[in-house]
Amino acid sequence: MTRNHRTIIKAMLVFLLFIGVSGCWSAEELNNRAFVNTVLIDLTEDGQTELTVGVPLPNRMIPGQVGGSGQPQGDPFSFVTKHADNLSQALNMLQVDLPRNISFGQTRIIVVGRRQAEQGLDKVVEFVFRQPSFRLSASLFITPGDVKEITRSPMVFERIISDILRKYVNHHYTLDTTIKDYKIALYQGGDILIPLLNFGELPGVAQEDPKKNRWMGSGGAAIFSGGRMSKIELSPHEHRVALWISSQLKNTTTTISSPTDDKEISFFIEDVKTSIDPVVHGENISFRVKSSAKAFVESSLSHIDLKNPEVLLKLEEILNKTVEEQFLDVLAKTRQARSDAFIMSQYLDWRYPKVWHSVRDQWKNIYAKELPIDVSVDIKLNRSGGVYRSVVQETNR
């Protein structure tokens, strides 16, 4: 290789290095973008589509102002709403009114109102999948009424509503149902669980703005059957059980009545593991739901002797039976709603594809009326807490 060839190769390598550290030629400046973190979708009373986007306001998110130490006035985010015949038209109307270009690359939360949920989420899924920047991992929530009620929720612990809802999911307080999960469920019949939000009067905690006298919390769960929200819902307690069945629960608390005096004994349950397995014998199909966990006594108002090993075994038996009944109650609600909300059909398809294809057309009826489901819970009571004797025993009451 001659000296000239070596020089040319070195020059090309240096040129390639400079290309790697250069800026993006076709990207849009951040200052020209409006990053949507929350999308609210509902139907109006006259049947129009209502699209609301929650956008952070950069000019209000800086803690200190230039030349001073004061806090910016007002909320660090804003909601903008438009009504139209469909979501695409509503989005176009929103874009016309905003000085920045709308970007869905940071969208983590999609909240749908009851009216739209009862009609189905097909329009929502179609809209999201057509947006190249939209994350399919965005979490879905349903509101019990008007979706815009969420905009009245005061920000006490977090600055942005989407941060609150993401922490509900990350801390396993609600089901993590994403837009991708719903899309997959549509191919299996449109049966799924989506967490419900709960709204009420603010209980006097940091009520700084009298106009925003509402609080928001995690509620129960909406049962979807055939892609539409059913009239049958899961209560907040049943929602926690659904988390347990879905293997999305890290820990929980369960209370039972003492076998000696019917006083309350509460257990903290952790290391939860749940499996759902199909069982096929010839033409007979059944399912086995097995769960295991560890527990310790969190509080006790009973005179029961927690130092007695036989008593602990009895408590284990009662605790396991209580949780098994809770599992069966939640499963019964989904069967009543004709919704295979725990996607048992997918487990059958994965393990026994030929059997699944033979019953696919009748699966709704099979799940709702005929399918045997055996529930087995094995919770080991490892410790009785920091003390053996309850406060009631110590004070002789």
Side-chain angles (χ1 to χ4, degrees):
M1 182 180 294
T2 64
R3 180 179 297 178
N4 290 337
H5 287 151
R6 288 196 296 270
T7 302
I8 293 173
I9 292 174
K10 289 180 181 178
M12 291 178 64
L13 290 174
V14 171
F15 177 73
L16 292 174
L17 287 174
F18 276 110
I19 290 178
V21 299
S22 63
C24 299
W25 297 330
S26 61
E28 188 177 4
E29 291 292 337
L30 295 178
N31 291 338
N32 294 328
R33 292 186 178 185
F35 292 100
V36 176
N37 52 35
T38 307
V39 174
L40 314 179
I41 300 173
D42 205 351
L43 291 177
T44 61
E45 292 184 358
D46 58 359
Q48 280 199 313
T49 297
E50 179 182 84
L51 175 63
T52 303
V53 294
V55 185
L57 303 177
N59 60 332
R60 294 184 181 177
M61 298 187 72
I62 303 174
Q65 296 177 343
V66 177
S69 59
Q71 292 288 336
Q73 297 298 316
D75 293 327
F77 61 90
S78 179
F79 289 98
V80 188
T81 303
K82 289 296 179 182
H83 303 153
D85 292 334
N86 55 57
L87 286 170
S88 298
Q89 292 179 8
L91 176 61
N92 184 64
M93 294 170 66
L94 282 173
Q95 184 60 80
V96 170
D97 282 357
L98 293 179
R100 299 188 179 198
N101 292 328
I102 293 175
S103 172
F104 293 105
Q106 300 298 318
T107 304
R108 298 291 187 275
I109 301 296
I110 302 174
V111 186
V112 182
R114 176 181 286 274
R115 284 198 190 99
Q116 181 63 71
E118 290 178 345
Q119 294 293 322
L121 305 187
D122 292 0
K123 295 179 181 178
V124 178
V125 172
E126 176 68 17
F127 174 74
V128 169
F129 270 75
R130 296 290 180 181
Q131 306 296 323
S133 61
F134 222 118
R135 292 175 177 265
L136 302 184
S137 59
S139 297
L140 282 168
F141 288 87
I142 305 294
T143 58
D146 184 1
V147 74
K148 286 196 296 184
E149 190 171 9
I150 194 175
T151 63
R152 296 175 54 194
S153 303
M155 298 295 98
V156 179
F157 293 100
E158 305 294 340
R159 303 184 69 191
I160 300 176
I161 284 178
S162 62
D163 291 344
I164 298 175
L165 298 181
R166 281 305 303 169
K167 289 188 176 181
Y168 286 167
V169 173
N170 293 338
H171 295 162
H172 304 281
Y173 300 148
T174 66
L175 288 161
D176 185 11
T177 303
T178 66
I179 195 72
K180 181 180 178 181
D181 294 332
Y182 184 84
K183 180 73 171 181
I184 294 173
L186 284 178
Y187 290 110
Q188 297 287 338
D191 299 345
I192 200 169
L193 294 175
I194 300 180
L196 276 166
L197 295 176
N198 190 21
F199 300 96
E201 296 295 329
L202 185 69
V205 180
Q207 188 174 337
E208 300 172 357
D209 187 353
K211 295 181 180 179
K212 293 187 175 182
N213 62 340
R214 307 286 283 175
W215 59 263
M216 177 186 69
S218 59
I223 303 175
F224 276 70
S225 176
R228 296 186 178 187
M229 181 177 172
S230 170
K231 299 294 183 181
I232 301 171
E233 300 173 1
L234 298 183
S235 67
H237 173 70
E238 291 168 337
H239 181 197
R240 295 290 292 174
V241 177
L243 281 166
W244 194 331
I245 298 174
S246 302
S247 298
Q248 295 186 32
L249 188 72
K250 293 180 65 177
N251 52 66
T252 188
T253 299
T254 298
T255 300
I256 66 172
S257 297
S258 171
T260 57
D261 51 19
D262 289 331
K263 297 295 181 63
E264 289 186 352
I265 304 177
S266 295
F267 300 88
F268 183 80
I269 301 173
E270 57 188 354
D271 293 340
V272 177
K273 297 177 183 178
T274 306
S275 63
I276 300 176
D277 299 306
V279 180
V280 175
H281 294 294
E283 297 181 355
N284 298 321
I285 303 172
S286 62
F287 271 81
R288 183 185 299 117
V289 180
K290 297 179 63 176
S291 183
S292 62
K294 299 176 183 178
F296 66 85
V297 178
E298 193 169 44
S299 65
S300 173
L301 298 178
S302 172
H303 289 84
I304 195 168
D305 182 9
L306 296 176
K307 291 189 292 184
N308 188 338
E310 293 183 359
V311 169
L312 295 180
L313 289 175
K314 181 63 176 179
L315 289 177
E316 272 188 8
E317 181 183 343
I318 297 173
L319 182 59
N320 288 328
K321 184 178 180 181
T322 300
V323 176
E324 286 175 2
E325 291 175 351
Q326 293 173 356
F327 274 37
L328 291 171
D329 289 343
V330 170
L331 289 169
K333 268 201 170 182
T334 64
R335 299 174 79 155
Q336 183 183 355
R338 295 177 61 83
S339 171
D340 181 13
F342 296 103
I343 57 171
M344 292 188 178
S345 59
Q346 289 190 22
Y347 292 102
L348 183 61
D349 188 13
W350 296 334
R351 292 282 300 276
Y352 304 99
K354 291 183 179 180
V355 175
W356 161 244
H357 286 293
S358 68
V359 299
R360 183 171 185 171
D361 294 338
Q362 298 84 30
W363 181 249
K364 283 276 190 181
N365 289 329
I366 293 174
Y367 179 79
K369 299 178 180 180
E370 305 173 13
L371 185 68
I373 302 177
D374 177 62
V375 174
S376 175
V377 176
D378 182 19
I379 301 174
K380 297 298 183 184
L381 184 56
N382 289 339
R383 16 190 203 107
S384 59
V387 296
Y388 287 110
R389 294 168 61 85
S390 67
V391 174
V392 175
Q393 289 173 301
E394 293 288 349
T395 56
N396 295 319
R397 287 188 292 159

